[in-house]
Amino acid sequence: MKRRDLGPWLALTALTWAAPGTTLARSRGPLRTQPVDMVVIHATGGPTCDAQGRPIWVPAGELADNLRQIEVHPRLGVHWMIDRDGTVRASVPEQQVAHHVFTYSGRSIGIELINDGDGQDPFPPAQIDALVALLHGIVQRHPAVTRAGVVRHSDVDHGRMACEPGRLRKVDPGAAFPYGQVLDRVFGPG
């Protein structure tokens, strides 16, 4: 598969963010009707199909570009996004639904990490530290979220790519994500 710099595709396929230049959440999701018991961790990069129906890999992109692009999409969203340097941005308020993962959006909080999601792109320590701090806060605000409720996007979305049905469409955050270490830091050794 080819790797390309496809900023607009990234925004439309990665499901992310808030308005540029703001750290305040903005309203754009319906109010929740079920309690939060899950957090889904995403990466901004990943596989998709190009306009000609060929599989491609969309790279992570930059925070500002992702923020600008997601604002034009009327249906996609996420609650939080974390840049490589540990910058955390809020988008859809946690008390509202952000459409970031099929079936589970109503009961989950979505966190996007700027990363290619290809299993090769490392997650910098500042980004992981910010994620751990954010997860601590989420668990305090939503006590139904347990260790088992913090999942990777690839754990809950097993859909196939339309242009290559033999491949999963969501593989993020990828093999380079230190999943077990993050859970241990948030909940203690498991």
Side-chain angles (χ1 to χ4, degrees):
M1 243 186 328
K2 294 181 188 177
R3 291 180 69 106
R4 299 182 189 179
D5 185 14
L6 298 172
W9 272 100
L10 172 64
L12 297 176
T13 61
L15 311 178
T16 52
W17 318 241
T22 184
T23 57
L24 301 175
R26 66 180 188 80
S27 176
R28 75 184 244 190
L31 288 176
R32 290 188 183 280
T33 59
Q34 39 187 324
V36 171
D37 67 354
M38 180 182 283
V39 174
V40 181
I41 300 171
H42 304 262
T44 53
T48 193
C49 302
D50 70 10
Q52 288 76 40
R54 296 177 302 219
I56 59 169
W57 198 276
V58 178
E62 299 294 325
L63 175 67
D65 294 335
N66 287 315
L67 291 171
R68 274 190 297 277
Q69 292 296 322
I70 198 65
E71 289 301 316
V72 302
H73 201 286
R75 294 182 309 266
L76 304 180
V78 76
H79 297 96
W80 300 98
M81 191 197 33
I82 305 174
D83 204 352
R84 294 176 189 273
D85 67 359
T87 299
V88 177
R89 294 288 178 98
S91 184
V92 176
E94 289 181 6
Q95 69 270 22
Q96 297 176 15
V97 176
H99 298 287
H100 61 96
V101 62
F102 291 131
T103 309
Y104 300 98
S105 291
R107 60 184 267 211
S108 67
I109 291 176
I111 301 173
E112 283 278 0
L113 303 173
I114 297 288
N115 186 276
D116 287 343
D118 60 0
Q120 304 296 314
D121 187 15
F123 291 84
Q127 187 177 46
I128 296 302
D129 292 346
L131 173 62
V132 168
L134 179 59
L135 287 169
H136 277 295
I138 290 170
V139 169
Q140 288 177 346
R141 290 186 297 278
H142 305 279
V145 175
T146 64
R147 182 185 187 99
V150 177
V151 299
R152 298 163 290 203
H153 194 186
S154 59
D155 294 331
V156 293
D157 187 336
H158 300 141
R160 300 291 174 166
M161 292 179 63
C163 60
E164 193 172 331
R167 296 188 59 176
L168 292 172
R169 45 179 226 105
K170 298 299 176 188
V171 297
D172 59 309
F177 179 65
Y179 183 55
Q181 293 172 21
V182 168
L183 294 179
D184 287 351
R185 288 179 62 188
V186 175
F187 297 100

